[in-house]
Amino acid sequence: MTDEVTPTVLVVDFGAQYAQLIARRVREAHVYSEIVPHTITAAEVADRAPAAIILSGGPKSVNVEGAPRLDPAIYDLGVPVLGICYGAQLVALQLGGEVAGTGKGEYGRTRLEVTNPGVLLHEYPPATHDVWMSHFDSIVAAPDGFTVTARTADVPAAAFEDADRRLFAVQFHPEVHHTPQGQAILERFLYEGAGCSPSWTMRSIIDQSVEAIRAQIGDEKVICGLSGGVDSAVAAALVHKAVGAQLTCVFVDTGLMRKDEGDQVVETFRRHQGIELVHVRAADRFFERLAGVVDPEEKRKTIGELFIRVFEEAAGGLSDARFLVQGTLYPDVIESGTPDAAKIKSHHNVGGLPEDMDFELVEPLRALFKDEVREVGRELGLPDEIVWRQPFPGPGLGVRIIGEVTPERVAILQHADAVVRDEIKAAGLEREIWQAFAVLPDIRSVGVMGDERTYAYPIIVRAVTSEDAMTADWARLPYDVLERISSRVINEVRGVNRVAYDITSKPPGTIEWE
Ligand code: XMP
């Protein structure tokens, strides 16, 4: 996907939480973008011949010692540059303007006065509009040759540009939704300032991806482990589109999937997509191995190790395969910090596949963000249930059962979990909730149903909102939804006599219970 013909905007990361957001906004404008470290040299930039460069914000003051800088020779490459926030201050400082600590920062919504529209702001004739600011230092003078295009009450040069050299800078954050004209301003930079065309579309992503996969695999055989999750599903569908019957998928049914999920995977891939699928029914082996295991770490280890064993056995039967498909996404690549080291992301998979497996990796989603993966999946005809599937831990329901994992206890949890998801879906809350599921603890308590005293398990309902699972808040589910879940679980799931709702955020809790 990163082949030379794709015009690329490089987003130089100065340590802000905004770099990823900028990259995504650029892609929303249908221009391909990648994040690069701020240590990138002019020679490296020249080598990549980007369509434009965007300098992100950053947490430091440009005036403190050791604050990150851009290789100044980059400004002379003739590549269009947009500096944002810290990036704007760098443009000012490195090209001869002035950045000062005026003692007055600006944070949050701020009035921007357009004084001289220029290229970036020409849709906004002298007027004011709202922008989002987050800075302490102030650009008091733009460098020679630049025209100041906007100011705020505290920043004399809040936007400035040298259209001839195609260098632009804005102190505010166009990438956040709190700047209502932000996306339009970014697009002006991309289309008018830098001359990019909006050619990076879903179709072009798929076409290029298919081409790259064909080039890599040739006429060799390739295998792909399906987890039921969106990443491996979309990766498999893409590879299948590229090399058809050269692909064999392996689906290990651990017995720890959610209700009917195994069948759905088989139905989708074998019947609808026509993919060669090895369906390994391994539930008995997992239950046998899990008997008596109650320690959470040991449980994970047991599931992970057996998964590898079973997968290897299945893959061993496909010994002529040279390639293994991996659903690595762009955020995994950025976070690992070593974009070129193709490593299997162990903690994201069921226990991880062994690194000594003798396969070459095919990673067709390496350049994509999650929302883009979903779009590709939809375009390739995968059903909504897979494309919009909530994150599900590799070890499956094994990490949502406290205490021993037995077939009976898994059946109780599957049933209760299906009710929870069903009611969340019926209430139309599916997409705004990050994850909603049921947990089975290893306590029982007394209740009364009809005339009978019961001694049964409670089910704990967990529903959270989150952006990235790093932090999460418990979802404020409407009482009537909670009530329907509760009464259905108690009426329909034998062995359960109470429903509790978990109101812990993360931190201090985790999303999963185990
Ligand atoms: P926690 O429980 O740590 O979970 O707050 C954060 C996110 O990670 C998912 N999760 C896993 N995903 N293998 C996975 O593929 C795992 O072992 C695993 N454990 C937790 C969890 O569902 C949540 O989205």
Side-chain angles (χ1 to χ4, degrees):
M1 197 154 306
T2 55
D3 67 331
E4 293 122 6
V5 296
T6 309
T8 301
V9 171
L10 298 181
V11 178
V12 183
D13 185 358
F14 283 99
Q17 72 260 42
Y18 297 120
Q20 276 201 34
L21 197 52
I22 295 170
R24 289 174 57 178
R25 296 280 176 260
V26 171
R27 291 176 179 206
E28 278 168 25
H30 303 296
V31 178
Y32 182 63
S33 66
E34 281 185 14
I35 297 168
V36 294
H38 64 78
T39 47
I40 193 166
T41 64
E44 287 165 337
V45 171
D47 215 35
R48 302 198 45 178
I53 297 173
I54 298 181
L55 313 179
S56 85
K60 286 226 164 94
S61 159
V62 285
N63 285 320
V64 302
E65 218 183 288
R69 292 277 185 272
L70 186 73
D71 178 350
I74 290 176
Y75 298 111
D76 297 325
L77 292 174
V79 177
V81 174
L82 170 64
I84 293 175
C85 193
Y86 184 91
Q89 299 187 355
L90 270 186
V91 172
L93 197 71
Q94 293 189 297
L95 297 179
E98 194 187 340
V99 180
T102 55
K104 263 197 192 163
E106 287 174 320
Y107 299 93
R109 186 156 295 131
T110 306
R111 299 297 279 173
L112 183 82
E113 188 188 337
V114 179
T115 50
N116 184 352
V119 174
L120 246 52
L121 303 174
H122 81 66
E123 293 269 291
Y124 315 100
T128 57
H129 55 109
D130 286 340
V131 295
W132 192 259
M133 290 285 198
S134 178
H135 67 101
F136 190 72
D137 289 338
S138 171
I139 301 168
V140 292
D144 280 348
F146 280 76
T147 307
V148 172
T149 54
R151 52 174 294 125
T152 67
D154 291 308
V155 182
F160 49 97
E161 61 188 47
D162 180 340
D164 293 338
R165 291 169 69 197
R166 303 198 293 177
L167 303 175
F168 303 84
V170 294
Q171 176 64 69
F172 57 89
H173 288 277
E175 73 277 21
V176 303
H177 285 305
H178 308 289
T179 298
Q181 301 294 343
Q183 185 66 14
I185 291 168
L186 265 183
E187 288 176 5
R188 307 205 80 77
F189 167 70
L190 295 169
Y191 305 151
E192 294 186 27
C196 297
S197 57
S199 57
W200 198 70
T201 60
M202 271 310 126
R203 276 258 61 88
S204 75
I205 295 173
I206 292 173
D207 290 348
Q208 285 174 42
S209 198
V210 161
E211 234 171 80
I213 294 166
R214 280 187 189 142
Q216 187 186 0
I217 297 180
D219 50 16
E220 301 273 349
K221 291 257 167 31
V222 52
I223 58 181
C224 176
L226 287 178
S227 66
V230 54
D231 303 344
S232 63
V234 174
L238 260 178
V239 172
H240 184 250
K241 188 175 169 68
V243 299
Q246 287 163 249
L247 170 71
T248 304
C249 287
V250 175
F251 171 54
V252 175
D253 195 338
T254 59
L256 304 171
M257 308 283 291
R258 298 182 296 185
K259 191 160 179 286
D260 302 330
E261 209 155 35
D263 294 342
Q264 190 200 17
V265 169
V266 176
E267 169 80 16
T268 301
F269 289 93
R270 195 176 277 162
R271 303 238 172 80
H272 290 174
Q273 300 266 326
I275 293 180
E276 191 65 44
L277 180 71
V278 178
H279 180 191
V280 190
R281 292 168 210 274
D284 291 347
R285 289 177 69 181
F286 278 86
F287 286 129
E288 195 179 308
R289 197 64 75 80
L290 285 166
V293 179
V294 293
D295 177 73
E297 272 309 304
E298 197 188 334
K299 212 183 277 177
R300 269 180 184 272
K301 215 167 137 239
T302 306
I303 297 171
E305 284 174 1
L306 183 56
F307 184 90
I308 291 168
R309 177 90 34 87
V310 175
F311 188 87
E312 271 178 332
E313 284 168 18
L318 308 162
S319 56
D320 52 344
R322 233 190 82 197
F323 293 93
L324 178 71
V325 180
Q326 192 76 26
T328 317
L329 304 193
Y330 192 46
D332 305 322
V333 177
I334 310 169
E335 275 155 30
S336 75
T338 49
D340 299 321
K343 271 212 151 188
I344 293 174
K345 42 170 191 169
S346 61
H347 66 288
H348 287 260
N349 278 308
V350 188
L353 294 174
E355 293 186 19
D356 58 4
M357 272 178 105
D358 207 11
F359 288 116
E360 227 174 277
L361 291 185
V362 180
E363 298 180 295
L365 313 178
R366 253 181 101 73
L368 302 182
F369 288 108
K370 191 86 174 187
D371 41 357
E372 295 165 342
V373 170
R374 291 206 163 99
E375 270 189 67
V376 170
R378 236 189 22 198
E379 186 86 19
L380 292 173
L382 291 175
D384 270 7
E385 298 88 74
I386 286 186
V387 169
W388 285 101
R389 186 180 187 267
Q390 292 180 351
F392 186 61
L397 297 181
V399 297
R400 291 181 184 167
I401 292 179
I402 317 294
E404 195 183 7
V405 178
T406 63
E408 297 73 32
R409 300 191 78 212
V410 168
I412 289 176
L413 183 57
Q414 280 178 331
H415 194 161
D417 184 68
V419 171
V420 172
R421 287 185 295 125
D422 198 33
E423 288 301 329
I424 295 283
K425 188 172 178 191
L429 295 169
E430 217 178 15
R431 298 220 178 151
E432 51 191 87
I433 280 173
W434 175 263
Q435 275 171 291
F437 54 87
V439 172
L440 182 66
D442 65 347
I443 50 168
R444 283 186 288 172
S445 69
V446 171
V448 55
M449 277 168 110
D451 294 334
E452 265 182 65
R453 182 179 174 283
T454 58
Y455 186 57
Y457 293 115
I459 278 290
I460 293 153
V461 176
R462 180 77 164 139
V464 297
T465 54
S466 178
E467 290 290 323
D468 53 11
M470 300 299 285
T471 61
D473 198 6
W474 60 280
R476 270 53 173 179
L477 292 184
Y479 280 165
D480 56 335
V481 175
L482 285 169
E483 185 180 6
R484 275 197 300 280
I485 290 174
S486 167
S487 68
R488 276 194 59 196
V489 167
I490 290 163
N491 289 334
E492 296 174 23
V493 187
R494 275 182 71 86
V496 174
N497 65 355
R498 277 175 208 274
V499 171
Y501 188 50
D502 180 358
I503 54 167
T504 318
S505 62
K506 172 184 178 176
T510 51
I511 295 176
E512 301 289 344
W513 279 56
E514 56 186 293

